[in-house]
Amino acid sequence: MTHFAQGWSPDWAWVAAIRSISTVRDELYWNTVEPRKGVYVFPREYDSYMDTLRIAGISPLIVLSFENNNYDDGLTPYSDEP
């Protein structure tokens, strides 16, 4: 588990690649990716991070984590609301 969304530099990817690590799990913040309901935005730094992983030969498993203010009053999702 890496923590790019929490401020880790993507430079660590090169260290991981040298050590034959080919897969990482990480989170990107759901609130950032979907700032308005149904509107998805991937900030430049997220795209840059994905590019770094791709070039380093690392496959990411990304979780859109934590709450989103657009759903369930910003709480952990609990309803069937799409």
Side-chain angles (χ1 to χ4, degrees), residues 24-68:
V24 295
R25 179 184 180 273
D26 206 333
E27 80 277 342
L28 299 178
Y29 294 139
W30 180 18
N31 224 22
T32 300
V33 172
E34 190 181 5
R36 291 191 324 268
K37 203 172 209 177
V39 176
Y40 301 93
V41 178
F42 290 87
R44 184 171 13 119
E45 59 270 13
Y46 284 11
D47 287 340
S48 176
Y49 176 44
M50 292 298 112
D51 286 343
T52 299
L53 292 179
R54 180 182 50 78
I55 293 166
I58 297 173
S59 178
L61 171 62
I62 300 298
V63 175
L64 289 177
S65 60
F66 305 109
E67 301 80 13
N68 186 305

Side-chain angles (χ1 to χ4, degrees), residues 60-80:
L61 171 62
I62 300 298
V63 175
L64 289 177
S65 60
F66 305 109
E67 301 80 13
N68 186 305
N69 294 331
N70 298 308
Y71 301 95
D72 296 317
D73 298 318
L75 302 172
T76 300
Y78 60 85
S79 72
D80 292 337

Side-chain angles (χ1 to χ4, degrees), residues 9 20 23 29 43 64:
S9 168
S20 300
T23 306
Y29 294 139
L64 289 177

